[in-house]
């Protein structure tokens, strides 16, 4: 089974590029997404056996992130099928600059979507640090054509920036992997393979200075892909120029893959007795990210870029949670689940708004509740959820991290985070409520009604975040605790 979650989408991506009929290709996309979700659900019942000599394993940490990826991809696949059906075939006019352009062939788009699913799945099951690096790099290569779906100069610039900056980051992560090998080979017990289980079992024999350098390089390298400030500059452009369904996967799933890479090297660092070194760095990057995102959200005039900077904020919160440690680690993992569901929902709704208003300017979008009632209600619910308002799940996870920060005596971090959350709530509420309740455009045609495939997937994600705020299922609670324990946290 552990091989199937990777192989099935990869093979399906090749099939999607070969299939000529558009309906068959879209049906294949939904079918593979459903099959992947079923395989992931099966892993909750019976944890699959390791494969390739332990290089591929599915522990609690991997299962959490695999489940997020699988759930989001299923919602995105249903949404994407309807989105592709709406897209105009042939030459079309850009709504911002009025030039003409042609979209990427649908076969390439669907094929890369499925390949993206396969590479992200590989990240979650990789227990060899070399394989993990390859998998994270593969997510970059498979997702770049998705950002360049609208073949015009803005999406090309965003794609090149994404490739260039993430390549620099991944190069630093590769150096970190080399330094990890040095830490393993410089110890009296030479020849420790770069497999997570082996490194944890022989953590006492690792060379600590080399291990700290390895963590620093991997944190900076994978942190670039995760969107931690000041290494985030690719993220707002890529999220803004990519189709909204791709933005949902980039923000809700891809950023978590890089976060998982940092957590994996963090496991080794903690086992070697240098947890404080890693936690201190995570706190620094986390606080910088939250503060940086706050400044840009407050002054934001593009609602897709606003959501992108919100992702940077929440990556910072997750880093702070792990940096605080203890209960904060549990809160960080819970936050990863809640944020992924919420942000994917918001990007899908943003796609509906963009399709109707043909602008990303927050000043030119008014009366969403009147023109798009379904999307308007979800936009409002998304505002409450993403700003951590009860009873949504993000309130619970942010409260848990704040409690851990105050409880551990990190008062400065806690107060800074609290102030940033308040400022972001005020700024996003002002922007998003103006879009909802503002006066409808003069002469706008009555809405023909929203397609079910455009509203149901984000509505399901919204309902999931609401339920997680009211009730944390014992199975998920147990898995989160098991994952936190893997990071040497006893709850």
């Amino acid at each position: 089974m552990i091989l199937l979650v990777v192989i099935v989408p990869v093979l399906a991506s090749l099939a999607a590029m070969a299939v000529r009929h558009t309906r068959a290709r879209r049906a294949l996309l939904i079918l593979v997404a459903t099959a992947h979700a079923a395989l992931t659900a099966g892993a909750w019942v019976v944890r699959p056996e390791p494969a390739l000599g332990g290089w591929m394993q599915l522990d609690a940490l991997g299962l959490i992130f695999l489940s997020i990826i699988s759930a989001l991809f299923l919602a995105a696949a249903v949404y994407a099928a309807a989105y592709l059906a709406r897209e105009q075939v042939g030459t079309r006019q850009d709504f911002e600059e009025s030039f003409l352009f042609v979209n990427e062939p649908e076969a390439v788009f669907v094929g890369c979507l499925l390949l993206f699913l396969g590479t992200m799945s590989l990240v979650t099951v990789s227990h060899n640090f070399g394989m993990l690096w390859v998998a994270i790099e593969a997510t970059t290569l498979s997702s770049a054509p998705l950002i360049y779906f609208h073949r015009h100069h803005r999406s090309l610039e965003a794609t090149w920036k994404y490739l260039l900056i993430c390549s620099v980051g991944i190069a630093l992560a590769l150096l970190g992997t080399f330094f990890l090998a040095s830490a393993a080979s410089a110890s009296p017990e030479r020849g420790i393979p770069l497999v997570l289980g082996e490194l944890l079992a022989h953590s006492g024999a690792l060379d600590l200075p080399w291990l700290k350098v390895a963590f620093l390089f991997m944190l900076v390298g994978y942190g670039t892909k995760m969107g931690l400030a000041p290494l985030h500059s690719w993220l707002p452009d890529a999220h803004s120029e990519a189709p909204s369904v791709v933005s949902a996967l980039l923000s809700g799933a891809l950023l978590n893959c890089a976060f998982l890479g940092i957590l994996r090297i963090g496991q080794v660092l903690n086992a070697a007795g240098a947890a404080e070194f890693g936690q201190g760095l995570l706190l620094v990057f986390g606080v910088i990210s939250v503060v940086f995102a706050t400044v840009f959200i407050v002054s934001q005039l593009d609602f897709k870029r606003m959501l992108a900077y919100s992702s940077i904020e929440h990556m910072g919160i997750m880093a702070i949670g792990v940096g605080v440690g203890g209960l904060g680690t549990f809160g960080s993992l819970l936050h990863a689940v809640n944020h992924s569901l919420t942000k994917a929902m918001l990007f899908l709704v943003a796609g509906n708004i963009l399709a109707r208003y043909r602008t990303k300017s927050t000043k030119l979008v008014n009366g969403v509740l009147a023109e798009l009632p379904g999307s308007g209600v979800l936009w409002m619910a998304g505002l409450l959820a993403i700003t951590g308002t009860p009873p949504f799940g993000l309130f619970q996870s942010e409260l848990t991290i704040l409690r851990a920060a105050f409880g551990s005596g990190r008062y400065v971090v806690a107060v800074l985070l609290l102030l940033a959350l308040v400022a972001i709530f005020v700024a996003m509420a002002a922007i998003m409520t103006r879009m909802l309740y503002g006066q409808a455009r003069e002469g706008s045609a009555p809405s023909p009604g929203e397609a079910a495939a455009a509203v149901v997937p984000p509505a399901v994600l919204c309902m999931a975040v609401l339920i997680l705020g009211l009730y944390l299922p014992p199975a998920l609670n147990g898995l989160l605790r098991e994952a936190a324990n893997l990071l040497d946290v006893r709850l």
Side-chain angles (χ1 to χ4, degrees):
M1 174 269 169
I2 202 167
L3 292 171
L4 289 178
V5 296
V6 178
I7 291 174
V8 169
V10 170
L11 293 179
S13 71
L14 300 175
M17 293 185 189
V19 170
R20 293 187 176 183
H21 299 286
T22 54
R23 289 188 178 180
R25 191 183 301 115
R26 293 166 195 165
L28 177 65
L29 175 65
I30 296 175
L31 181 65
V32 173
T34 306
H36 192 276
L39 287 170
T40 304
W44 281 73
V45 180
V46 180
R47 199 71 61 83
E49 293 293 324
L52 302 181
W55 284 31
M56 297 175 72
Q57 295 186 41
L58 192 59
D59 58 9
L61 260 179
L63 184 54
I64 288 172
F65 290 105
L66 179 64
S67 302
I68 293 172
I69 291 167
S70 195
L72 293 193
F73 195 88
L74 180 57
V78 175
Y79 185 95
Y83 167 76
L84 291 170
R86 292 198 307 269
E87 280 294 286
Q88 180 182 331
V89 178
T91 304
R92 55 184 298 174
Q93 188 174 43
D94 179 67
F95 58 78
E96 289 188 41
E97 301 175 55
S98 301
F99 56 78
L100 300 177
F101 71 96
V102 179
N103 280 340
E104 188 175 70
E106 185 179 315
V108 175
F109 183 76
V110 174
C112 287
L113 263 183
L114 290 167
L115 186 60
F116 190 33
L117 173 64
T119 54
M120 288 193 294
S121 301
L122 181 59
V123 172
T124 63
V125 299
S126 294
H127 273 227
N128 178 286
F129 279 89
M131 177 183 281
L132 178 67
W133 181 87
V134 170
I136 292 179
E137 172 65 359
T139 61
T140 305
L141 299 177
S142 59
S143 56
L146 301 174
I147 299 171
Y148 188 46
F149 177 64
H150 300 308
R151 291 186 168 178
H152 53 58
H153 70 91
R154 294 194 309 276
S155 60
L156 179 62
E157 181 182 344
T159 305
W160 273 114
K161 187 181 284 187
Y162 171 62
L163 284 171
L164 188 65
I165 296 176
C166 286
S167 295
V168 172
I170 206 73
L172 293 174
L174 181 61
L175 282 176
T177 307
F178 291 155
F179 292 137
L180 178 62
S182 298
S185 61
S187 67
E189 296 184 27
R190 292 180 180 275
I192 301 174
L194 296 187
V195 177
L196 182 63
E198 294 288 338
L199 290 169
L200 294 177
H202 301 89
S203 57
L206 296 173
D207 186 87
L208 205 51
W210 277 118
L211 180 58
K212 288 181 178 179
V213 175
F215 178 84
L216 177 60
F217 272 75
M218 287 197 200
L219 173 61
V220 174
Y222 292 143
T224 303
K225 188 75 174 280
M226 182 180 169
L228 290 177
L231 316 164
H232 66 284
S233 55
W234 65 270
L235 196 150
D237 288 345
H239 284 56
S240 176
E241 294 303 330
S244 293
V245 65
V246 176
S247 305
L249 291 174
L250 291 177
S251 185
L254 177 65
L255 302 186
N256 287 337
C257 291
F259 184 46
L260 180 59
I262 295 171
L263 293 180
R264 290 301 189 200
I265 185 63
Q267 283 183 261
V268 180
L269 194 71
N270 294 351
E276 289 187 2
F277 175 78
Q279 288 175 335
L281 288 173
L282 283 166
L283 281 176
V284 170
F285 277 102
V287 170
I288 291 174
S289 299
V290 171
V291 172
F292 206 93
T294 305
V295 172
F296 280 87
I297 288 174
V298 168
S299 58
Q300 196 50 241
L301 299 176
D302 179 322
F303 59 85
K304 284 195 73 179
R305 292 181 77 88
M306 177 190 70
L307 296 180
Y309 280 109
S310 169
S311 295
I312 295 169
E313 171 214 349
H314 287 280
M315 291 302 110
I317 292 174
M318 287 156 56
I320 289 174
V322 178
V324 168
L327 187 62
T329 303
F330 175 85
S332 177
L333 296 174
L334 178 60
H335 199 73
V337 177
N338 286 319
H339 170 256
S340 297
L341 298 173
T342 306
K343 191 53 62 65
M345 181 262 284
L346 275 169
F347 268 117
L348 295 183
V349 177
N352 297 341
I353 295 173
L354 184 59
R356 172 67 177 172
Y357 288 83
R358 300 180 66 77
T359 179
K360 290 179 281 188
S361 170
T362 59
K363 291 187 174 180
L364 298 177
V365 177
N366 293 293
V368 174
L369 272 174
E371 293 200 32
L372 299 170
S375 295
V377 170
L378 290 172
W379 194 244
M380 171 58 83
L383 162 65
L384 297 176
I386 201 65
T387 53
T389 307
F392 289 94
L394 282 157
F395 171 74
Q396 295 291 348
S397 50
E398 288 178 356
L399 183 63
T400 303
I401 293 171
L402 280 169
R403 280 175 52 203
F406 279 115
S408 62
R410 292 181 169 88
Y411 300 112
V412 174
V413 172
V415 170
L416 282 174
L417 177 56
L418 203 53
L419 290 174
L421 291 176
V422 171
I424 289 172
F425 173 81
V426 173
M428 292 187 75
I431 294 169
M432 294 172 76
T433 53
R434 187 173 62 240
M435 293 169 64
L436 286 168
Y437 294 107
Q439 190 174 3
R441 298 170 296 172
E442 290 186 10
S444 61
S447 173
E450 295 181 80
V455 177
V456 172
V460 170
L461 296 175
C462 179
M463 189 58 66
V465 181
L466 179 61
I467 291 172
L468 288 179
L470 298 171
Y471 172 71
L472 189 60
L476 178 58
N477 187 30
L479 190 69
L480 290 169
R481 288 178 179 275
E482 183 184 345
N485 288 341
L486 291 176
L487 292 162
D488 204 26
V489 176
R490 299 287 176 257
L491 297 173

